[in-house]
Amino acid sequence: QVQLVESGGGLVEAGGSLRLSCAVSGRTFSSYGMGWFRQAPGKEREFVAAIGSSRTSTNYADSVKGRFTISRDNGKNTVSLQMNSLKPEDTAVYYCALVRGWTVAVGSGGLYDYWGQGTQVTVSS
């Protein structure tokens, strides 16, 4: 049974930073791609960032490029999202997800196989 557990969300002022982490159990973590997605109230879920199993392949939504950085630690079975220069429009529930069968970063949420429960990020203006 695969389990993904996010942590690190919270309330921050605009311009501040947060670091989200996702711990993965139950799978050979290093073999799978990982991604972060978010969903704001009243909006559809959207892609934020992804990293391939090789760690050299990353992909970001245009809205977060240059501000967010995704990374993974295969020894600790974790994936992280460093979020800097946060804006009120970054407010959302953030989800991590795991995708099988891809070595590159995958931006399509429909391809992901497992999802975490989400962590709330609120950015005040």
Side-chain angles (χ1 to χ4, degrees), residues 61-78:
D62 288 342
S63 59
V64 307
K65 280 181 181 177
R67 301 189 297 123
F68 290 12
T69 302
I70 189 170
S71 61
R72 65 189 297 160
D73 185 333
N74 289 340
K76 296 182 178 179
N77 282 22
T78 59

Side-chain angles (χ1 to χ4, degrees), residues 8-18 20 38-41 68 83 86-94 119-125:
L11 173 64
V12 65
E13 293 184 350
S17 298
L18 281 175
L20 305 183
R38 67 187 182 187
Q39 187 167 20
F68 290 12
M83 305 186 295
L86 283 162
K87 305 175 181 180
E89 51 263 43
D90 293 319
T91 295
V93 177
Y94 283 71
T119 185
Q120 177 71 46
V121 171
T122 303
V123 184
S124 63
S125 57

Side-chain angles (χ1 to χ4, degrees), residues 19-78:
R19 185 176 181 88
L20 305 183
S21 292
C22 176
V24 182
S25 62
R27 285 284 182 175
T28 307
F29 176 75
S30 61
S31 300
Y32 302 106
M34 299 296 298
W36 286 95
F37 295 79
R38 67 187 182 187
Q39 187 167 20
K43 295 186 177 181
E44 294 187 352
R45 183 184 65 197
E46 65 175 358
F47 167 72
V48 176
I51 186 167
S53 59
S54 67
R55 289 185 288 182
T56 58
S57 174
T58 58
N59 190 13
Y60 296 91
D62 288 342
S63 59
V64 307
K65 280 181 181 177
R67 301 189 297 123
F68 290 12
T69 302
I70 189 170
S71 61
R72 65 189 297 160
D73 185 333
N74 289 340
K76 296 182 178 179
N77 282 22
T78 59

